[in-house]
Amino acid sequence: MQNPYTEIFRAPGAKGFAASGFVARVPIAMAPIGIVAMLSQTHGEYWLAGAVSATFALTNAFLAPQISRLVDRLGQTRIVVPTTVISVLAFAILIAAANQDWPIWTLFVSALLAAAMPSIPAMVRARWTEIFRDRPELNTAFAFESAADELVYVAGASLSVGLSVALFPEAGMLASTLFLAFGSMAFIVQRSTEPRVRLAEHGSQGSAIRLRPVQIITFALIFIGATFATTEVTTVAITEELGQPGAASLVIGVYALGSFVVGIIIGALNLKMPLQRQLAIAIAIIALTTLPLLVADTVPALALAVFISGVAISPTFITAFGLIERHVPGAMLTEGVTWVMTGIGIGMALGSFAAGAVVDAFGAQNGFFVSVVAGAIALATVLIGQRSLATSDCDFAACEAGVVPAE
């Protein structure tokens, strides 16, 4: 039996855009925590570090879909080049402002401008879709991208903090900026795999968020994102309470490992079950596996419970993006993917806040109740939306004709 991952990389140009896209997306994980690590050392105030980081993250969450919408209309090169230049220059100013102790307002303004950073993961998935549209290889490609996202989030945050602590405060942000600049440059020069700009067709006007399937998936993944952040925050709190704070990084790493391994396996399979049912099953597993977290009161038990709770994360992403590819017209695919990724980011921000508040008020172990509630809401959302998410065995053009905006 041939390795399906070997097969997808036989496509001309696939290795190049996948590799450069991986480098260019590393700042997604490095920048937010890198800002905190940098400013907490240069200014000694965590509230300021958190506020500047939140300014960048929330602004990027708002701008990214709008930028991706322009990408769909004008092409990747015409939009990625100017937005990346703006973001790189803004990050450079932010680093200089932190190092030279410039006025506080310069930190916030540069963070706002840096949020112009485009959604490289969405554009990489758009290239895979252009190559493998309506073919089973697309599922494998999406599985690879989900695994790459997992690796980026695990390694990127650790690298950013490690550089800042080991070298100098600005080291993490400097590395993140260089990854963005050179990765994006290498990605965009590969014009042969850039998706063609598709003319807007019936059902393709306006924003992708007006489409019911995009609304359902984005809303559900807001709460899935909340379970991620809650697990991380609560794990840190519990390990500190148990007197083993160093175990937090190991437990969180195990969380990502479970998702990474299962995602790779799922990508190698050609499952025949309808995607909307696969999504419902994956989210049901996430929801059910939040329950053992409530009784994990030792580090080994916590690590085991966290590992189990992470196994369905990549399958959730794979099927979610597969459904977006099926339901969103080609003329707005990049925007559709970006909305889903934005939902995950918003959920992580809200989950961190909610989990922190619950931990402070009711104790570390109770932080996992946020995961339980978030998982239940996500599951209810996809179950109620099964009819809207259903796909037929049609060609993509026919599927596009069946997409209608939400009322």
Side-chain angles (χ1 to χ4, degrees):
M1 181 179 176
Q2 293 182 317
N3 185 335
Y5 292 99
T6 301
E7 292 299 308
I8 64 172
F9 283 109
R10 286 179 177 170
K15 292 179 181 177
F17 77 72
S20 57
F22 180 85
V23 174
R25 86 179 73 183
V26 172
I28 296 173
M30 290 188 72
I33 191 65
I35 292 172
V36 173
M38 176 177 68
L39 295 180
S40 62
Q41 293 181 77
T42 59
H43 287 68
E45 296 175 296
Y46 278 94
W47 73 266
L48 175 63
V52 175
S53 180
T55 297
F56 164 75
L58 293 177
T59 305
N60 181 251
F62 173 77
L63 288 180
Q66 318 310 321
I67 292 171
S68 291
R69 186 177 177 185
L70 291 175
V71 168
D72 285 325
R73 293 186 174 187
L74 302 175
Q76 292 185 355
T77 300
R78 292 180 64 183
I79 301 301
V80 172
V81 171
T83 54
T84 300
V85 169
I86 292 171
S87 187
V88 167
L89 290 176
F91 276 132
I93 294 172
L94 178 60
I95 293 169
N99 181 265
Q100 299 298 315
D101 199 24
W102 291 355
I104 297 298
W105 65 265
T106 61
L107 302 175
F108 286 96
V109 171
S110 55
L112 279 170
L113 294 174
M117 185 173 72
S119 179
I120 295 295
M123 283 179 272
V124 173
R125 285 178 169 90
R127 293 196 181 205
W128 284 121
T129 301
E130 189 75 3
I131 296 172
F132 295 123
R133 190 182 303 275
D134 296 328
R135 293 168 57 185
E137 290 92 338
L138 186 59
N139 182 70
T140 303
F142 281 175
F144 173 80
E145 291 304 315
S146 294
D149 287 338
E150 293 283 348
L151 189 57
V152 163
Y153 278 107
V154 172
S158 299
L159 178 63
S160 188
V161 173
L163 289 173
S164 293
V165 173
L167 300 178
F168 50 90
E170 301 85 4
M173 282 305 302
L174 179 60
S176 175
T177 304
L178 292 175
F179 279 132
L180 176 62
F182 290 106
S184 297
M185 184 186 305
F187 178 76
I188 214 63
V189 296
Q190 299 177 67
R191 300 296 300 277
S192 64
T193 54
E194 180 176 346
R196 62 186 176 87
V197 176
R198 293 172 176 266
L199 296 177
E201 302 172 4
H202 175 70
S204 301
Q205 289 79 21
S207 172
I209 198 62
R210 294 180 63 241
L211 302 178
R212 183 70 72 196
V214 178
Q215 293 173 353
I216 293 170
I217 295 172
T218 300
F219 186 75
L221 263 62
I222 286 175
F223 292 95
I224 294 299
T227 66
F228 304 163
T230 299
T231 298
E232 294 175 357
V233 170
T234 308
T235 294
V236 171
I238 289 177
T239 52
E240 287 184 356
E241 191 175 82
L242 293 172
Q244 298 175 272
S249 59
L250 175 62
V251 174
I252 293 172
V254 166
Y255 185 49
L257 177 63
S259 174
F260 180 86
V261 171
V262 175
I264 290 294
I265 294 172
I266 292 294
L269 303 176
N270 185 17
L271 300 178
K272 301 299 184 183
M273 183 184 296
L275 286 177
Q276 73 274 10
R277 293 183 187 173
Q278 292 184 42
L279 181 63
I281 291 172
I283 292 181
I285 293 172
I286 290 178
L288 289 173
T289 54
T290 60
L291 298 176
L293 295 170
L294 298 173
V295 295
D297 54 1
T298 66
V299 170
L302 180 63
L304 177 60
V306 163
F307 176 83
I308 294 172
S309 71
V311 297
I313 294 174
S314 279
T316 297
F317 287 173
I318 295 166
T319 52
F321 289 122
L323 283 166
I324 290 295
E325 185 270 333
R326 293 285 187 91
H327 283 290
V328 175
M332 54 174 62
L333 178 62
T334 309
E335 184 195 354
V337 171
T338 304
W339 273 114
V340 174
M341 301 191 71
T342 295
I344 297 169
I346 292 172
M348 292 183 70
L350 296 176
S352 295
F353 175 79
V358 171
V359 167
D360 287 340
F362 304 105
Q365 194 73 50
N366 290 311
F368 284 124
F369 276 107
V370 176
S371 290
V372 174
V373 173
I377 295 174
L379 178 57
T381 300
V382 295
L383 289 178
I384 293 171
Q386 282 290 288
R387 184 174 179 181
S388 296
L389 294 177
T391 60
S392 58
D393 295 327
C394 56
D395 61 21
F396 192 76
C399 290
E400 281 190 359
V403 176
V404 294
E407 297 296 334

